[in-house]
Amino acid sequence: MTNELQKSNWQAQIDLVKQIAAKNATHEEFNLMCHIANKYGLDPLVKQIWVVKYGTNPASIFTGRDGFLHIAHQTGKFGGLNTKVEMVDIPIDVKKQRRDRNGQTVTISVTRPWQYKAT
């Protein structure tokens, strides 16, 4: 009975990782992501690593900023980073269209003579 419960719990955890970080990935693609996550100590549930799959094309495996920071911290050589956000006088003019939940086209527009820049 205990082994069945453990297998059921493991399967639930695997299904959760697949749903959150590896939607539509093949068994092999999922296993590859798990191998990379294990090798570098990355957690797919907090989006340090994930799979992107478009149709029947091969999956792409991505590591996010937090994943790279995690790897850097593990080296013992990472000295930190400095982040700066500033307003710059560079105009922005962006228009995007999307469909709302009723299927209607909505245009979102941002136009101003400045924008934020992060380095």
Side-chain angles (χ1 to χ4, degrees), residues 29 51-61:
E29 292 164 341
V51 172
V52 175
K53 178 88 173 178
Y54 295 106
T56 59
N57 292 327
S60 295
I61 299 172

Side-chain angles (χ1 to χ4, degrees), residues 15-83:
D15 291 344
L16 179 63
V17 172
K18 283 182 177 179
Q19 180 185 8
I20 290 175
K23 272 190 182 160
N24 302 319
T26 66
H27 181 72
E28 291 79 14
E29 292 164 341
F30 178 74
N31 284 344
L32 179 58
M33 183 205 67
C34 290
H35 172 77
I36 295 168
N38 188 48
K39 180 177 175 104
Y40 294 102
L42 300 175
D43 186 346
L45 293 179
V46 294
K47 290 293 198 172
Q48 290 179 339
I49 187 170
W50 66 91
V51 172
V52 175
K53 178 88 173 178
Y54 295 106
T56 59
N57 292 327
S60 295
I61 299 172
F62 290 93
T63 300
R65 177 196 67 118
D66 291 343
F68 284 113
L69 282 172
H70 177 76
I71 293 167
H73 282 292
Q74 288 178 331
T75 67
K77 297 178 182 179
F78 181 61
L81 56 102
N82 295 317
T83 304

